[in-house]
């Protein structure tokens, strides 16, 4: 079965900036939900790339350390409008939540009381609809036969039985190996090639910088005794050594800033609670931590340093791998491997739909009805994700006020 040979048309930085800014303001629900938002916006609506290419990107970024959803967004911007598009995608998707958390760090109390809790709960319900829509759409395209459907089911079981990033990596590896065995009988058109504006030289430089920073920053900190370098090293290391992104980075950050007495445990937990209530990547929690450091740099300078340092390693790795990605995926064995890995991604999203997305959001029949409404608005009425966020979020607030008697 030949793949659909659709290639993204070249766009401009302004187009990328506008699209990702809207997502940066409305993408609640964590990294799994973000992948659903991206699929809805860029595969289903804007058609910047097809389902297969999107799944390839998701599988690649799941393998790499760093914030997977932000890496996918960075790659989408790069594919659409080159390096400036990649920068625009990252800035637009990241800055809204980073700015909100910096304001919160300076005493702006948000999301308190029954109204705030109702809004937060409504946003969790939105995530159920978004992720369910993504799983449904990707399963139809990436698991069209019993072999790949079976791979997806096994991947879901692996993720549910083996918690944490280890389960995700194990599921993708198992899916890739199963694809090598089961999914070789499909011919693939070479026209599905994706061009990223990164040369092999630039990729090699990026990989070299990743290693140099990871090994060199601790050495420079020890030699100079610079507190600024120490902060950069702490946040860079947290971003470089975490697989799966999102909530997985929290233990590393706690070890770096709380155990170093840079941030109190109470301040850390307060900021973490606020991070759950804002859109965009959870890695922007670093902006809050940088702003409240008990040591210099802190405030706006500390927030900027922490934010850049925690995202840098994941982006360097992505840029380093992308120039070699198309060559790899055109090999016959690699195509079978990626079919299995893509099916495993569907299983991973399916498992995440249950835990933590469903279990944390659907607490009663009203919640289920609201999530089902959101799913219908996305699937049948084809409403954009941001509109569904507004409608379902408002519904969550209404349910909260009804149940609390306000």
């Amino acid at each position: 079965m030949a793949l659909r040979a659709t290639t993204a048309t070249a766009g401009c930085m302004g187009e990328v900036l506008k699209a990702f800014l809207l997502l940066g303001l409305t993408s609640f629900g964590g990294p799994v939900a973000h992948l659903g938002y991206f699929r809805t916006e860029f595969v289903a609506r804007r058609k910047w790339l097809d389902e297969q290419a999107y799944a390839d990107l998701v599988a690649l970024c799941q393998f790499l350390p760093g914030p997977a959803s932000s890496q996918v967004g960075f790659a989408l911007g790069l594919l659409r409008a080159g390096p400036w598009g990649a920068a625009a995608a990252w800035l637009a998707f990241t800055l809204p939540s980073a700015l909100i958390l910096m304001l919160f760090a300076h005493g702006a109390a948000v999301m308190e009381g029954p109204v705030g809790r109702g809004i937060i709960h409504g946003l969790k319900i939105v995530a159920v609809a978004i992720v369910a829509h993504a799983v449904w759409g990707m399963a139809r395209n990436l698991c069209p036969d019993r072999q790949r459907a079976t791979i997806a089911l096994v991947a879901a079981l692996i993720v549910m039985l083996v918690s944490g990033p280890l389960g995700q990596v194990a599921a993708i590896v198992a899916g890739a190996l199963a694809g090598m065995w089961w999914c070789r009988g499909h011919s693939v058109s070479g026209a599905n090639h994706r061009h990223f504006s990164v040369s092999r030289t630039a990729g090699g430089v990026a990989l070299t910088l990743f290693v140099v920073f990871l090994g060199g920053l601790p050495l420079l900190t020890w030699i100079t005794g610079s507190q600024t370098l120490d902060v950069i090293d702490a946040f860079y290391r947290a971003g470089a050594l975490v697989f799966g992104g999102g909530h997985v980075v929290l233990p590393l950050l706690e070890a770096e800033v709380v155990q170093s007495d840079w941030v109190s445990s109470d301040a850390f937990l307060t900021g973490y609670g606020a991070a759950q209530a804002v859109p965009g990547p959870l890695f922007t929690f670093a902006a809050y931590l940088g702003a409240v450091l008990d040591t210099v740099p802190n405030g706006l300078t500390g927030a900027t340093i922490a934010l850049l340092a925690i995202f840098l390693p994941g982006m360097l790795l992505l840029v380093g791998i992308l120039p070699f990605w198309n060559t790899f995926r055109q090999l016959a064995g690699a195509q079978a491997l990626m079919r299995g890995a893509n099916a495993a991604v569907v299983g991973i999203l399916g498992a995440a739909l249950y835990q933590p997305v469903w279990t944390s959001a659907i607490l009663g029949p009203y919640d289920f009805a609201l999530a089902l409404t959101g799913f219908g608005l996305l699937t049948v009425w084809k409403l954009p994700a941001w509109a569904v966020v507004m409608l379902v979020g408002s519904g969550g607030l209404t349910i909260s006020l009804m149940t609390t008697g306000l």
Side-chain angles (χ1 to χ4, degrees):
M1 183 178 67
L3 291 176
R4 211 169 32 154
T6 56
T7 305
T9 308
C12 65
M13 185 180 72
E15 177 192 21
V16 174
L17 186 70
K18 180 180 178 181
F20 275 94
L21 182 59
L22 188 59
L23 288 168
L25 291 167
T26 59
S27 293
F28 295 88
V32 176
H34 298 163
L35 296 176
Y37 284 103
F38 289 168
R39 180 197 167 274
T40 299
E41 187 67 21
F42 301 118
V43 178
R45 292 190 68 246
R46 295 178 181 265
K47 302 188 185 303
W48 285 7
L49 72 172
D50 60 25
E51 200 80 70
Q52 182 73 40
Y54 180 70
D56 283 356
L57 275 180
V58 172
L60 170 62
C61 295
Q62 290 282 0
F63 269 119
L64 298 177
S69 62
S70 293
Q71 288 169 314
V72 170
F74 185 89
L76 289 171
L78 184 67
L79 178 67
R80 185 67 178 176
W84 287 110
W90 180 79
L91 284 171
F93 187 59
T94 304
L95 283 185
S97 58
L99 291 173
I100 293 170
L101 290 173
M102 280 191 280
L103 288 174
F104 182 80
H106 287 86
V110 294
M111 298 301 180
E112 294 182 352
V115 173
R117 288 193 294 272
I119 293 173
I120 292 172
H121 187 61
L123 298 175
K124 289 181 179 180
I125 297 173
V126 169
V128 175
I130 293 289
V131 177
H133 182 243
V135 172
W136 180 71
M138 293 179 74
R140 288 192 307 160
N141 288 280
L142 300 177
C143 302
D145 49 52
R146 66 177 63 184
Q147 290 90 346
R148 279 175 278 185
T150 301
I151 292 173
L153 289 172
V154 172
L157 291 174
I158 291 173
V159 171
M160 295 178 72
L161 293 173
V162 184
S163 60
L166 178 61
Q168 293 185 359
V169 174
I172 292 177
V173 170
L177 293 176
M180 292 284 288
W181 179 262
W182 265 356
C183 304
R184 284 183 173 271
H186 307 274
S187 61
V188 178
S189 169
N192 199 40
H193 183 85
R194 287 296 178 278
H195 174 69
F196 290 92
S197 302
V198 182
S199 68
R200 294 195 173 205
T201 300
V205 170
L207 290 175
T208 302
L209 287 174
F210 171 82
V211 174
V212 168
F213 287 148
L214 188 61
L217 282 171
L219 181 61
L220 276 177
T221 301
W222 179 73
I223 292 173
T224 64
S226 168
Q227 183 63 36
T228 298
L229 285 176
D230 201 10
V231 171
I232 295 173
D233 175 44
F235 283 94
Y236 184 89
R237 186 165 55 251
L241 300 180
V242 60
F243 285 86
H247 300 275
V248 184
V249 78
L250 294 172
L252 291 174
L253 287 175
E254 192 273 340
E256 296 291 351
V257 301
V258 176
Q259 296 179 24
S260 299
D261 294 325
W262 291 349
V263 176
S264 70
S265 179
D266 286 346
F268 185 90
L269 293 175
T270 299
Y272 171 59
Q276 309 308 303
V278 299
L282 188 59
F283 267 43
T284 55
F285 180 37
Y288 167 87
L289 294 175
V292 300
L293 290 175
D294 288 335
T295 183
V296 176
N298 50 27
L300 179 59
T301 302
T304 303
I305 289 173
L307 189 67
L308 293 175
I310 200 169
F311 276 100
L312 180 60
M315 300 312 171
L316 286 176
L317 276 176
L318 180 63
V319 170
I321 294 297
L322 282 177
F324 309 99
W325 185 238
N326 274 320
T327 300
F328 170 75
R329 64 192 292 273
Q330 294 301 316
L331 301 174
Q335 292 171 0
L337 182 150
M338 288 309 303
R339 288 188 204 100
N342 291 339
V345 168
V346 176
I348 291 171
L349 288 175
L353 174 61
Y354 172 70
Q355 173 67 32
V357 177
W358 180 282
T359 56
S360 66
I362 307 303
L363 307 179
Y366 294 131
D367 297 338
F368 175 74
L370 191 56
L372 188 62
T373 300
F375 180 78
L377 292 175
L378 287 167
T379 306
V380 180
W381 290 92
K382 310 294 184 185
L383 288 189
W386 63 265
V388 178
V389 168
M390 299 300 177
L391 292 171
V392 177
S394 300
L397 173 59
T398 302
I399 291 173
S400 176
L401 295 179
M402 288 171 54
T403 55
T404 56
L406 294 180

